[in-house]
Amino acid sequence: MHFTSEQRLDDGVLEREFTLGEIPGTLWTTGSEPAPLILMAHNNGLPKAEPRLVARARYTAARGYAVATIDAAGCGDRPRSAADEQARADLRRAMRAGEPVDEILESFIGPLVDHAVPEWQTTLDALLELPEIGSPVGYSGGWTALGIRLAVVEPRIAAAGFFAGGYVPRAQREEARQVTVPLLFLLQWDDEGNPRQRALDLFDAFGSKEKTLHANLGGHTGTPWFELEDGCRFLDRHLK
């Protein structure tokens, strides 16, 4: 892992950009003592610099966590394959035409998850070698499909917070039954792009003995800010 830049932000959080082979990432920390690590990913591979992700990361780091994110292959500044470009073009065309998009999303998001999970595990290995990062590890983010797969295959993840926004492929909906860590699930009741019943069915499918659903009125980007505070209290219960 090679740190390429760092800056101390106004809230006291240290923000550092890093590279790990071809993987670009960002790490936010507040001190030198080992802190529990939160892996934070935005909806279906949107870039790590997305303002809402950065705001959540800084807030969470200021609460005493180390927070890390990476760009998945084909996301952010990473090059896209011809298949990626075609899938995105097909998705835009279908959405403009008002056509069903589930099968396009299946063909796009499924492989994205498959490719992203090993990179996140490689990143986790490297992060846990840093003296300022300890365990346990949590996951928090809008990319629920990625979080489901990681929670199933990665035993170091002890708790997870998911957002019911963004498409979850059928494979991850089935894998949800294998998720057993404590879980907080956020749902925007009026999210026009994500059917409410599908989100409720996914929550029901999770195998966790401790799982909590928070539902709020509003559209996709209308999650109340207080949910971030509640999310940190959830992490505090299970990671500190």
Side-chain angles (χ1 to χ4, degrees):
M1 176 174 286
H2 174 63
F3 287 102
T4 58
S5 68
E6 70 173 60
Q7 59 174 330
R8 181 70 66 175
L9 305 172
D10 294 341
D11 52 8
V13 172
L14 179 64
E15 179 183 86
R16 287 177 285 176
E17 300 292 327
F18 66 83
T19 57
L20 184 62
E22 297 180 353
I23 307 169
T26 308
L27 174 65
W28 294 267
T29 54
T30 52
S32 58
E33 295 298 317
L37 174 64
I38 307 299
L39 304 179
M40 193 169 286
H42 199 53
N43 188 14
N44 290 342
L46 288 175
K48 62 184 179 63
E50 204 282 332
R52 285 179 294 159
L53 184 149
V54 173
R56 293 202 313 270
R58 289 179 58 174
Y59 182 92
T60 306
R63 289 282 297 257
Y65 291 93
V67 183
T69 189
I70 63 173
D71 273 336
C75 302
D77 294 328
R78 298 184 70 178
R80 296 178 182 175
S81 68
D84 288 339
E85 295 287 8
Q86 185 62 53
R88 292 172 190 267
D90 291 343
L91 181 61
R92 289 192 296 268
R93 178 198 56 75
M95 292 178 68
R96 285 195 301 266
E99 298 173 357
V101 297
D102 280 9
E103 292 308 314
I104 299 174
L105 289 168
E106 280 284 336
S107 65
F108 174 50
I109 302 301
L112 197 61
V113 171
D114 292 340
H115 295 149
V117 166
E119 292 193 338
W120 276 92
Q121 291 182 295
T122 297
T123 303
L124 177 57
D125 291 341
L127 288 168
L128 289 176
E129 293 181 358
L130 299 176
E132 64 270 36
I133 295 180
S135 58
V137 178
Y139 178 89
S140 175
W143 195 358
T144 298
L146 172 70
I148 290 171
R149 175 67 62 79
L150 281 173
V152 170
V153 304
E154 183 46 71
R156 290 173 289 187
I157 292 180
F162 296 149
F163 294 81
Y167 185 79
V168 177
R170 288 185 287 269
Q172 276 70 64
R173 280 179 254 163
E174 286 297 319
E175 287 176 327
R177 305 179 192 283
Q178 302 175 50
V179 174
T180 58
V181 298
L183 178 67
L184 176 63
F185 196 54
L186 302 184
L187 169 62
Q188 285 303 103
W189 202 246
D190 308 300
D191 189 342
E192 62 285 349
N194 297 286
R196 182 189 306 163
Q197 190 58 54
R198 188 156 64 192
L200 294 173
D201 290 343
L202 179 62
F203 177 75
D204 190 51
F206 287 120
S208 304
K209 292 183 179 179
E210 179 181 337
K211 56 181 179 180
T212 301
L213 172 68
H214 285 187
N216 291 282
L217 297 178
H220 184 71
T221 60
T223 304
W225 185 252
F226 64 73
E227 288 290 2
L228 184 54
E229 183 179 356
D230 286 348
C232 285
R233 285 199 292 266
F234 165 79
L235 294 172
D236 290 347
R237 289 197 301 274
H238 298 288
L239 303 182
K240 287 187 175 180

